Amino acid sequence: LLGAAGVIFAGLRFVHILQLESYQGNMYLKWLNKHSSEYWPGLMTGFAAVALSLCHVFFYYMEGFYGLSDAMPYVADGVYLALLLFLGVSEIKKQKVKPLKYTGRVNRLLAALGILTALFTVSEMFLALLRSSHLDYTLIYVMRYLPGMLLPLFVLFAHLLTYPLESAVKRWYFNDAKRKLAARGDVIKIGITGSYGKTSTKFILGSILSERYHTLVTPSSYNTSMGVTRAVREQLDPEHKVFVAEMGARYKGDIKELCELVRPEYGIITSVGKQHLTTFGSLERIIATKSELLLALPKNGTAVINGDN
């Protein structure tokens, strides 16, 4: 249990990165490839614990050191937990522009990470039945400390294990918000997208419309499908007559998915430029993705593009 807690605490760093990468496993791996030094703290933590554990075998064959031999596994565990604690505290103390949000998905991911760690920690009980040489001892200790040793990859492993569940949860919430919004035929729905200026445009438009209508705008940077879903489910009330949704995109199809949810009657496309090229690949794909808002508007709908009708 202590091992699981330590790995969860130290793993917050990589859970945060996964969240920033919109839980896209391929983008998370690309980030790790660019920041290969992120592997080293975990590797050194695991290697230190394995080395100290193997001293148990070394001292066992030295006369007069039996007591020290028995103590070494506990020393190894203590060092392992202390180093994981240090990694976690170091991460918490860092100043972040966009800190980790402890959503339900994050909590489920951390729970899966803890369970994985516990399973690997107790796996030594089963491996111990097979041990007959120093090599077997090495395998036992490596398995015990592997979650800390390969911390970034274990976070990814936990993510992959929970992905089917998260996809089902996301689809249920999305469809629930879609039904709630579709049932409100009295609400004017407006979608805003672009590479720059969409958040400011959203709040300015919301302030103007609020002078006459009860208006709901998606909060702060809630511009993903789950962000807009949450705004609809939690904040759309019967008195609202206008809903202004900011629509962000990092991948092709993101705007189309948001339009499926909102069904906007009016659309605004602000300045479009070379943003998120890492995921889009080209300016042409960015333009095509933003244009999905235009394609989703009804025939009698209205679009404003960079200030022009």
Side-chain angles (χ1 to χ4, degrees), residues 25-305:
N26 59 331
M27 295 306 300
Y28 175 75
L29 283 174
K30 285 183 179 179
W31 183 88
L32 284 177
N33 288 335
K34 287 183 179 179
H35 302 82
S36 56
S37 60
E38 295 286 345
Y39 286 101
W40 282 107
L43 285 171
M44 297 304 294
T45 297
F47 282 139
V50 170
L52 287 170
S53 294
L54 287 175
C55 288
H56 160 71
V57 181
F58 177 75
F59 288 124
Y60 181 81
Y61 293 103
M62 296 181 65
E63 188 176 350
F65 286 88
Y66 296 131
L68 185 57
S69 173
D70 291 339
M72 290 315 296
Y74 298 102
V75 173
D77 279 350
V79 170
Y80 179 68
L81 291 172
L83 290 174
L84 289 176
L85 178 64
F86 173 77
L87 294 177
V89 170
S90 299
E91 174 61 17
I92 289 176
K93 287 185 175 181
K94 290 180 182 176
Q95 295 292 328
K96 304 177 186 67
V97 176
K98 195 173 181 180
L100 174 65
K101 296 178 182 177
Y102 288 90
T103 62
R105 182 167 191 169
V106 166
N107 292 333
R108 289 188 290 272
L109 177 59
L110 293 175
L113 181 61
I115 292 170
L116 270 176
T117 301
L119 289 175
F120 269 80
T121 303
V122 300
S123 68
E124 72 163 313
M125 296 180 183
F126 306 104
L127 290 171
L129 299 176
L130 305 175
R131 70 187 183 205
S132 59
S133 67
H134 300 330
L135 178 61
D136 294 331
Y137 273 108
T138 304
L139 178 60
I140 288 169
Y141 295 136
V142 168
M143 289 292 289
R144 182 174 178 81
Y145 302 117
L146 198 62
M149 191 181 297
L150 299 179
L151 190 55
L153 297 182
F154 262 77
V155 170
L156 178 61
F157 190 18
H159 164 66
L160 294 176
L161 288 176
T162 57
Y163 188 80
L165 171 64
E166 297 303 336
S167 295
V169 169
K170 176 182 177 181
R171 180 51 54 182
W172 189 90
Y173 283 131
F174 182 89
N175 288 334
D176 184 60
K178 183 179 176 180
R179 285 192 295 268
K180 182 177 181 179
L181 203 52
R184 294 294 306 276
D186 59 321
V187 174
I188 299 170
K189 305 171 185 75
I190 304 170
I192 300 176
T193 191
S195 300
Y196 313 100
K198 54 185 177 291
T199 302
S200 300
T201 301
K202 172 184 67 177
F203 285 125
I204 292 169
L205 180 63
S207 296
I208 294 171
L209 293 173
S210 294
E211 294 295 319
R212 183 170 180 179
Y213 306 99
H214 286 288
T215 303
L216 172 65
V217 299
T218 51
S220 57
S221 59
Y222 276 42
N223 58 16
T224 64
S225 61
M226 287 310 294
V228 176
T229 292
R230 184 175 177 182
V232 171
R233 295 185 71 253
E234 296 179 0
Q235 299 182 26
L236 185 65
D237 294 326
E239 64 267 19
H240 286 126
K241 298 302 178 184
V242 178
F243 178 54
V244 182
E246 179 183 345
M247 298 180 173
R250 297 186 68 185
Y251 300 89
K252 186 178 179 181
D254 283 353
I255 300 300
K256 185 177 181 180
E257 184 181 34
L258 282 162
C259 289
E260 179 190 345
L261 168 62
V262 178
R263 301 288 184 185
E265 304 159 69
Y266 301 91
I268 298 175
I269 299 181
T270 63
S271 177
V272 176
K274 296 179 179 180
Q275 194 176 58
H276 301 309
L277 274 176
T278 304
T279 53
F280 279 113
S282 67
L283 180 59
E284 288 71 22
R285 294 188 71 180
I286 296 173
I287 294 172
T289 299
K290 302 299 182 183
S291 299
E292 290 170 351
L293 175 58
L294 299 178
L295 299 175
L297 296 178
K299 291 183 179 180
N300 60 344
T302 301
V304 178
I305 305 174

